[in-house]
Amino acid sequence: MNEHPLDIDYDRYRVPPGGGFRLSSIASDDTQGMDDKDAARATLSALRERLSSLQERLYAEDRQALLLVLQAMDTGGKDSTIRSVMKGVNPQGCRIYGFKKPTPQELARDFLWRVHQRVPPKGHIGIFNRSHYEDVLVVRVHGLVPPELIEKRYDHINAFERLLHDHGTRVVKVYLHISKDYQLERLRRRLERPDKWWKFNPQDLEERKRWDDYMRAYELALNRCSTPEAPWYVVPAEKRWFRNLVVARLLVDTLEAMSPQYPPPSFDPADYPPASLR
Ligand code: ATP
Ligand code: MG
């Protein structure tokens, strides 16, 4: 495997179905003992090439899709993960969508209505920057809908993701795991740099006060919605080079398992020898 000199074990970050998972069981600054950033850079670049060629096959085959759901607390690095991992992948085959506060039109429907419209079509890689999980995270923390309804949403989500799976969309979910102290450091850095002010929202400080409530809501969602068809991975995200490697590796291995194939030609190549073209 000299194509991937750094061998990442991401299986240890998969939330087992059936419950009992605790976020504290995974160190948010874990690097599996690696510290060679040059090797990491080389590995990431090999993984990106692999990702790019697998995506081309997926697009050409036009029968399956891959959906990456990305969730994190503010400053968790969702944007930068997307930028680093997807660099070099043909944008034509990617759909990236960020879910914001629902509009009145969206709130007038069930919570999955807006989400279903954004799932990647066959042949595409889709990325959700925030997702339907907000409807059991921020919504739970702020009590935006009655608790009985939130309770039912875990089952609704599992059924929805199973539907996607059954129709050829592989769903992989990543929670970028950071600590409360790390978030403080990142927020401070953001405020020290005028070119990062656009990313700062004073509301983020209000959410930070509810950190423990968010962690409880995350643990619940991870435990109730990590299924064999649509597993959750809790990825240590404080060392960004490591985070990128884990996510890239996960996408490459998922696509490899999907094994997209170039479709057979719709014509007999023997009828069209290239030299005969005029
Ligand atoms: P991010 O913080 O993800 O980098 P951003 O700063 O560009 O994104 P924000 O407007 O800060 O954009 O983030 C989106 C906000 O919308 C978050 O506070 C999120 O909790 C909220 N949101 C997303 N989905 C829902 C939902 N279903 N219900 C309520 N709030 C939601
Ligand atoms: Mg924000």
Side-chain angles (χ1 to χ4, degrees), residues 74 78-79 99-102 114 130 134-135 138-139:
D74 286 310
K78 301 189 301 311
D79 295 350
F99 287 93
K100 307 286 182 189
K101 286 198 177 69
R114 67 170 183 164
R130 302 185 186 268
E134 292 291 326
D135 294 282
V138 62
V139 169

Side-chain angles (χ1 to χ4, degrees), residues 112-155:
L112 290 172
W113 178 77
R114 67 170 183 164
V115 180
H116 208 162
Q117 296 177 67
R118 303 292 179 178
V119 302
K122 290 191 167 85
H124 288 70
I125 297 178
I127 301 183
F128 284 175
N129 183 341
R130 302 185 186 268
S131 67
H132 43 300
Y133 282 92
E134 292 291 326
D135 294 282
V136 292
L137 294 166
V138 62
V139 169
R140 186 178 185 102
V141 167
H142 288 272
L144 302 179
V145 310
E148 316 82 75
L149 189 55
I150 297 181
E151 206 45 40
K152 291 184 178 168
R153 286 185 170 178
Y154 302 99
D155 291 341

